[in-house]
Amino acid sequence: MIRFENVSKQYPAGTHAVKSLNFDIKEGEFFVLIGPSGCGKTTTLKLINRLHELTTGYIYIDGKKISEYDIHELRWNIGYVLQQIALFPHMSIEENIAVVPELRKWSKDTIRKRVDELLELVGLEPDTYRDRKPKELSGGQQQRIGVIRALAADPQIILMDEPFSALDPISREKLQDDLLQLKERIKKTIVFVTHDIQEALKLGDRICVMQDGEIVQIGTPEEITLKP
Ligand code: ADP
Ligand code: ADP
């Protein structure tokens, strides 16, 4: 599904953020990138949707180099969830979720159905939440909206960059459990960045441990030896 072949990224300032990465992510896999701050996790993630351009090597999605995709086509096919979800404050929850479907010119009816289906998927009653503004939701609820917004136009791949790290421990655990359930139902390829080993072991089908821009271990939670 996603293949990294000798991928390096050097920022203009000179930082060699990732060096010669080689790995494959399978279709439907929950793949976790873990490692200390500054080890290159976010850079690796942003190379996939071309928020950053790689310096050397190739990344393939479905056997095609990402440089050969139309950039909009590529990004539409990749949902992105950030730590700071940044919902548009002046827009309703429905409008926030509908941003990408609107860009893709889905009909109003199709969008309404999709929004309701997604709200139900994360246990938020559509009639109650559809018209609210983001500030009328708790932090955990807003983060749920961030997750379903990334799913809205049914992308094949979801990138998640420390999506739960700003939450209190109880909300975090709840959202982790929800994501595990969601994963079974949506069958997406997920690339998930965290620095929390417990979170990685709980969620990941496979875990890639990074250090100084390199992969030091890669395997299932059972195979990983760098345990707390
Ligand atoms: P992580 O996500 O693991 O914290 P990053 O991928 O954000 O690591 O950063 C890897 C390295 O690249 C760090 O040394 C960081 O300072 C550097 N870096 C990240 N983004 C940029 C940028 N836009 N310009 C220059 N250096 C950057
Ligand atoms: P993070 O460290 O979480 O990636 P940053 O604060 O470094 O966040 O910036 C967010 C992203 O925006 C980074 O990937 C960075 O490279 C990019 N960025 C920051 N400033 C610029 C800029 N002037 N032009 C283009 N991209 C930028």
Side-chain angles (χ1 to χ4, degrees):
M1 171 97 237
I2 305 174
R3 158 165 294 192
F4 273 63
E5 221 173 75
N6 290 314
V7 173
S8 303
K9 169 68 183 177
Q10 188 165 15
Y11 284 108
T15 310
H16 226 128
V18 298
K19 301 162 202 163
S20 203
L21 299 180
N22 287 288
F23 59 88
D24 282 303
I25 303 176
K26 299 186 201 75
E27 183 157 11
E29 189 168 40
F30 197 121
F31 190 84
V32 176
L33 294 167
I34 189 165
S37 183
C39 72
K41 307 180 294 294
T42 297
T43 300
T44 304
L45 208 63
K46 288 180 177 173
L47 291 174
I48 299 173
N49 61 3
R50 292 181 57 194
L51 281 180
H52 285 318
E53 295 292 343
L54 47 76
T55 312
T56 59
Y58 302 99
I59 300 174
Y60 298 87
I61 293 180
D62 278 341
K64 181 170 154 182
K65 288 178 190 159
I66 57 169
S67 56
E68 288 170 1
Y69 282 89
D70 171 76
I71 189 88
H72 302 292
E73 186 198 342
L74 181 81
R75 297 227 175 112
W76 280 345
N77 196 29
I78 303 179
Y80 190 36
V81 186
L82 290 152
Q83 180 182 346
Q84 303 298 344
I85 19 143
L87 298 174
F88 297 107
H90 58 288
M91 282 164 43
S92 70
I93 295 306
E94 174 166 25
E95 289 164 342
N96 267 284
I97 298 170
V99 169
V100 177
E102 292 270 1
L103 284 171
R104 300 188 71 169
K105 309 217 182 303
W106 289 16
S107 76
K108 289 238 174 312
D109 279 356
T110 310
I111 290 178
R112 168 58 57 92
K113 276 203 199 104
R114 181 65 178 154
V115 166
D116 287 2
E117 175 184 284
L118 289 164
L119 285 169
E120 279 166 8
L121 198 62
V122 291
L124 296 172
E125 219 286 302
D127 288 338
T128 310
Y129 288 98
R130 198 193 289 124
D131 299 320
R132 289 201 187 176
K133 293 283 163 56
K135 67 172 186 318
E136 299 172 277
L137 270 62
S138 72
Q141 288 172 335
Q142 289 187 38
Q143 205 62 25
R144 284 189 169 78
I145 303 300
V147 172
I148 60 177
R149 180 174 63 173
L151 294 172
D154 207 22
Q156 273 184 296
I157 298 168
I158 318 283
L159 308 179
M160 305 182 109
D161 197 346
E162 307 213 18
F164 307 144
S165 61
L167 300 174
D168 63 89
I170 292 168
S171 305
R172 192 185 314 159
E173 192 145 327
K174 177 85 179 69
L175 261 76
Q176 288 168 349
D177 292 340
D178 289 355
L179 185 60
L180 276 176
Q181 285 190 12
L182 196 63
K183 169 180 114 175
E184 296 308 317
R185 280 190 279 170
I186 60 174
K187 308 247 180 266
K188 303 285 181 195
T189 305
I190 300 175
V191 190
F192 187 102
V193 164
T194 183
H195 57 253
D196 177 350
I197 184 74
Q198 298 290 4
E199 185 169 73
L201 293 170
K202 177 171 171 177
L203 297 175
D205 294 321
R206 271 195 311 149
I207 298 167
C208 174
V209 184
M210 296 181 70
Q211 203 175 330
D212 295 333
E214 293 178 292
I215 296 173
V216 291
Q217 266 194 54
I218 190 162
T220 63
E222 294 73 32
E223 289 164 350
I224 294 295
T225 53
L226 300 175
K227 297 202 174 162

